[in-house]
Amino acid sequence: MTAPSPQAPPPTAVPSDRRDAAERAATGARVASLAAELRAAGVPAGVTEQVASVVRMAGLDAVIGLGAGMLTDEQAGAVLLDALIDARRRGSDSAETAAELRAVARLQTVVLQLLSGLATTTRAAGTGDRP
């Protein structure tokens, strides 16, 4: 009688909770990066929120079709256009992209409030004029 042949181990699957955590981390990194880029380009959080609404209503492809001219400032529009094209490339639909843009707008607001509070605190402490 021959010995049974060893069976191959089952394929290793990444547990869904680890995969979900990795996806949330990647989304968080995208949101933070885009919020920083938009803030540097001078895009207010309200504009990001408006674009999110248009993406949800008109669809991602329709907004991408507007090109960088979707915003008055062409450079800021180019930053946003790149983010929308990246979302489409990742397979995000309009609702997912709108939700991500809304998260970016919230982060933009928080950062602006923190920076405004820091500037106010610095001026009140009298440290803003020191060399």
Side-chain angles (χ1 to χ4, degrees):
M1 186 173 197
T2 60
S5 62
Q7 291 184 353
T12 306
V14 176
S16 65
D17 57 339
R18 263 198 267 160
R19 185 176 50 243
D20 291 345
E23 288 174 6
R24 281 193 305 275
T27 299
R30 278 194 307 274
V31 166
S33 175
L34 182 56
E37 287 182 58
L38 292 177
R39 193 177 74 69
V43 178
V47 171
T48 304
E49 183 68 38
Q50 287 175 344
V51 172
S53 294
V54 174
V55 166
R56 185 175 284 282
M57 288 174 48
L60 182 57
D61 288 337
V63 178
I64 288 173
L66 296 174
M70 74 177 88
L71 299 183
T72 307
D73 181 338
E74 193 90 6
Q75 181 181 1
V79 170
L80 200 48
L81 179 62
D82 286 346
L84 296 176
I85 291 171
D86 179 58
R88 182 174 59 188
R89 187 175 52 248
R90 289 190 323 266
S92 297
D93 63 19
S94 297
E96 291 169 323
T97 303
E100 197 165 295
L101 286 172
R102 287 196 167 94
V104 168
R106 283 191 299 275
L107 187 55
Q108 285 178 285
T109 300
V110 168
V111 169
L112 180 61
Q113 289 170 344
L114 288 173
L115 292 175
S116 297
L118 181 61
T120 301
T121 303
T122 302
R123 280 193 303 273
T127 57
D129 298 329
R130 290 187 191 163

